[in-house]
Amino acid sequence: HYRCRSAFKLLEIDDRLHILRPGLSVLDCGAAPGAWSQVAVERVNALGTDPAAPTGFVIGVDLLRISPLEGAVFLSQADITDPSTQRAIQNLLPAEKVDVILSDMAPNATGIKELDHQKLISLCLDLVNLSQSILKPKGTILCKFWDGHESRVLQNKLKEQFQDVRTIKPQASRKDSSESYYLARLYKGK
Ligand code: SAM
């Protein structure tokens, strides 16, 4: 019932590393078509399906249109790096900040590996900067990147700002050999 096979990557990562749990609030960046948000809605109990557990919150953002999903709030046709999007997110959040930022974002690939790599790293760096205003202290970021020369720049920046940073290569993304994720936990906050 997932909108896209990418759901299995998040399920696999979350089964292993437990980043989502009932009651957490999640920002899903690059959410279209919405499969990661579907997983997040289930795992944070955003619909209150389990009445005994706390209810979470999911907001998804994408440049593209995202079809509505019960339990999630979507900002479609919105660029996460645009300050007006950031304000819109903050207006929609139940609290000031989120517990988890997920990013499966990918720029339109040019096919030039080095260029695509750089574009995605710079998008991830923008996201880390956004944490300051949107991520709770002790919060988590999971972000996709395409491996290459500048991965270290992103990894170092995450290490400055999070206590625990690891690289994850899900089984489900084996076919795309350069795709990996950084999982950064325990945001030092500001
Ligand atoms: N995780 C999604 C799912 O499971 O349905 C799939 C995400 S898809 C691989 C990557 C998405 O990132 C694309 O839909 C693209 O439009 C979006 N994206 C790329 N740059 C973005 C940006 N600056 N702001 C918001 N979304 C962006």
Side-chain angles (χ1 to χ4, degrees):
H1 66 300
Y2 292 112
R3 294 178 180 186
C4 178
R5 289 196 47 80
S6 53
F8 297 103
K9 291 187 263 184
L10 181 57
L11 288 167
E12 181 190 330
I13 293 169
D14 192 52
D15 284 343
R16 249 172 65 207
L17 293 147
H18 312 290
I19 57 188
L20 302 173
R21 62 170 186 279
L24 295 188
S25 64
V26 175
L27 169 63
D28 181 12
C29 303
W36 276 33
S37 287
Q38 289 178 291
V39 172
V41 164
E42 291 167 4
R43 299 228 160 161
V44 305
N45 194 35
L47 279 169
T49 313
D50 178 356
T55 304
F57 181 85
V58 177
I59 179 166
V61 178
D62 205 288
L63 292 171
L64 304 178
R65 272 219 50 207
I66 323 168
S67 315
L69 171 69
E70 231 194 322
V73 176
F74 287 142
L75 279 175
S76 287
Q77 292 164 303
D79 184 336
I80 192 71
T81 63
D82 185 337
S84 71
T85 304
Q86 295 161 20
R87 283 192 296 275
I89 293 168
Q90 263 150 342
N91 288 334
L92 290 166
L93 289 179
E96 205 193 336
K97 294 182 173 180
V98 298
D99 299 287
V100 180
I101 298 176
L102 302 175
S103 172
D104 195 30
M105 285 194 289
N108 280 329
T110 61
I112 304 166
K113 233 183 160 184
E114 186 57 24
L115 184 60
D116 291 337
H117 157 69
Q118 283 170 7
K119 280 168 81 178
L120 184 47
I121 293 290
S122 94
L123 193 54
C124 293
L125 290 168
D126 284 342
L127 199 59
V128 182
N129 288 332
L130 183 68
S131 303
Q132 243 178 75
S133 51
I134 241 169
L135 186 63
K136 286 183 197 170
K138 300 209 166 115
T140 300
I141 287 192
L142 175 69
C143 67
K144 172 162 81 185
F145 66 100
W146 291 319
D147 204 13
H149 286 100
E150 287 171 36
S151 304
R152 271 296 151 85
V153 178
L154 174 60
Q155 190 181 38
N156 288 339
K157 182 154 178 164
L158 288 168
K159 282 183 171 166
E160 275 168 25
Q161 302 196 24
F162 293 80
Q163 276 177 46
D164 178 19
V165 178
R166 61 181 84 193
T167 311
I168 302 171
K169 178 98 194 154
Q171 287 292 317
S173 48
R174 261 178 320 181
K175 60 171 175 35
D176 180 351
S177 59
S178 72
E179 179 182 273
S180 294
Y181 292 81
Y182 283 130
L183 174 61
R185 291 198 277 204
L186 295 170
Y187 183 49
K188 294 174 188 170
K190 276 250 172 98

